[in-house]
Every structure is written in structure tokens, then in C-alpha cells.
Amino acid sequence: MVKILLVSKRQEAIKGFIDALHAVDEVDLDVTASATDVLDQVRRQPPSLVIVDYHLEDMAPLDLAMELLKINALVNIAVVSTMNEDDFHEATEGLGLLPRIPSPPAAMDVTPLLGRLREVLGT
């Protein structure tokens, strides 16, 4: 089972992406709107993947990614971003994040994301 934690305040707007994740039998998905909740959950029990939407109220997405890595350097993180690939790579270089998820994320983004996660996890 792959435990995924998604943090986004626009859950209704990305419903197709969320539904597609829920539809994968091997995925156990939790969704929250609070960066603080994500930090607490990662401290207690790190998921296989944290997906950080760029629409957050309590913390900038890349700041959250850095805080998550301070708690657990082995946590896999993917960020939903409006940046182009080059700018995203430049902004996140050295963090070890999974490839950028385009914004808004859609159902079709789930398969490549899970494929990359499986490569990282070696499953």
C-alpha cells in the first residue's frame, strides 16, 4: 500500500486528480488543507509521498517541502506548480523532489506520478 498525503486548499477544483488517486487500489490517500497538519503527520508516521499544492494558506509550497525534509530527509515530495520545467528545476535543485505536477493537476497526471514514485521506491 502506498500512503499519500495531499495538502491543498482547492480540493474541489482538483477533484478529478483526487478522485483518480482514490481510484488506484494500492493508494491510501489523505487530504488536508493545512501545512501544519502535514508536518505533524510526517513527524508521527511519514507517508510514501507528500503532494504539496501551490495553493496553501499557511506556508509557501517550497518552504513546506524544505520543512518536511528537515523532519525526514527520506520523505518523497511532489509539488504542484505553475512554473515551467526549467524554472521549477532551478528553484528546487538539490531538494530531491519528484518531477513537477502541472497546475491544475488532472486525472491524467496520476499515472506518471505513481510511475515515478514506484521507481524511487523500487517497487
Side-chain angles (χ1 to χ4, degrees):
M1 184 63 66
V2 177
K3 175 72 171 159
I4 297 177
L5 183 54
L6 168 65
V7 57
S8 175
K9 71 173 190 172
R10 59 179 183 155
Q11 295 164 17
E12 197 56 42
I14 63 171
K15 186 175 181 344
F17 179 72
I18 292 170
D19 289 347
L21 283 167
H22 276 299
V24 178
D25 288 337
E26 68 191 58
V27 170
D28 177 19
L29 177 68
D30 283 334
V31 182
T32 183
S34 168
T36 304
D37 287 349
V38 170
L39 292 169
D40 290 342
Q41 288 185 38
V42 169
R43 279 185 192 98
R44 287 191 312 267
Q45 185 171 2
S48 304
L49 173 65
V50 176
I51 302 172
V52 179
D53 192 1
Y54 80 95
H55 285 281
L56 299 177
E57 291 182 359
D58 51 349
M59 190 177 292
L62 294 183
D63 291 343
L64 176 56
M66 287 188 277
E67 290 301 315
L68 289 167
L69 292 170
K70 287 178 188 175
I71 293 169
N72 184 335
L74 299 178
V75 70
N76 295 296
I77 303 168
V79 176
V80 175
S81 177
T82 58
M83 291 183 206
N84 67 42
E85 288 292 336
D86 291 336
D87 291 343
F88 183 81
H89 177 74
E90 185 70 28
T92 62
E93 191 169 12
L95 294 178
L97 303 182
L98 292 178
R100 167 188 80 89
I101 301 171
S103 183
M108 68 182 185
D109 297 313
V110 169
T111 299
L113 172 64
L114 293 179
R116 183 65 183 119
L117 179 61
R118 285 183 192 104
E119 288 174 14
V120 170
L121 296 175
T123 60

